């Protein structure tokens, strides 16, 4: 089973994306705060990262995905 990090603070978007991932048997970790997402990227391996570019610090998450040794090959959606 794959794992996706979803960085978003929109509850409706979180619900729809999580339901879609669940139907595909993909585990979804939701972070509504960028700081929490950055910690998760340093501690866990994700196959994909979905980032809401409406977040003020979204660029930090994008940069951290590429710098993280275990996540630099993760597919990133923004």
């Amino acid at each position: 089973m794959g794992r996706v990090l979803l960085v978003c603070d929109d509850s409706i978007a979180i619900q729809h994306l999580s339901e879609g991932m669940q139907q595909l048997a993909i585990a979804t970790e939701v972070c509504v705060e960028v700081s929490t997402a950055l910690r998760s990227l340093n501690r866990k391996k994700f196959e994909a990262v979905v980032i809401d570019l409406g977040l003020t610090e979204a660029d930090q998450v994008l940069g951290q995905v590429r710098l993280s040794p275990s996540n630099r090959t993760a597919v990133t959606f923004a």
Side-chain angles (χ1 to χ4, degrees):
M1 174 176 13
R3 183 188 301 225
V4 172
L5 176 64
L6 173 57
V7 186
C8 182
D9 64 358
D10 181 329
S11 61
I12 295 172
I14 291 170
Q15 179 183 357
H16 288 296
L17 289 168
S18 295
E19 288 173 358
M21 296 297 172
Q22 184 178 23
Q23 290 177 0
L24 298 170
I26 298 172
T28 305
E29 180 172 328
V30 177
C31 292
V32 294
E33 296 179 1
V34 169
S35 59
T36 307
L38 294 173
R39 281 192 300 275
S40 290
L41 285 169
N42 286 327
R43 295 181 180 151
K44 300 175 186 172
K45 167 74 173 128
F46 297 97
E47 282 67 47
V49 180
V50 180
I51 305 165
D52 179 359
L53 289 180
L55 296 172
T56 57
E57 300 169 321
D59 59 330
Q60 290 181 8
V61 179
L62 285 169
Q64 186 63 35
V65 170
R66 296 295 160 229
L67 294 174
S68 168
S70 59
N71 291 302
R72 67 175 178 238
T73 59
V75 177
T76 308
F77 298 93

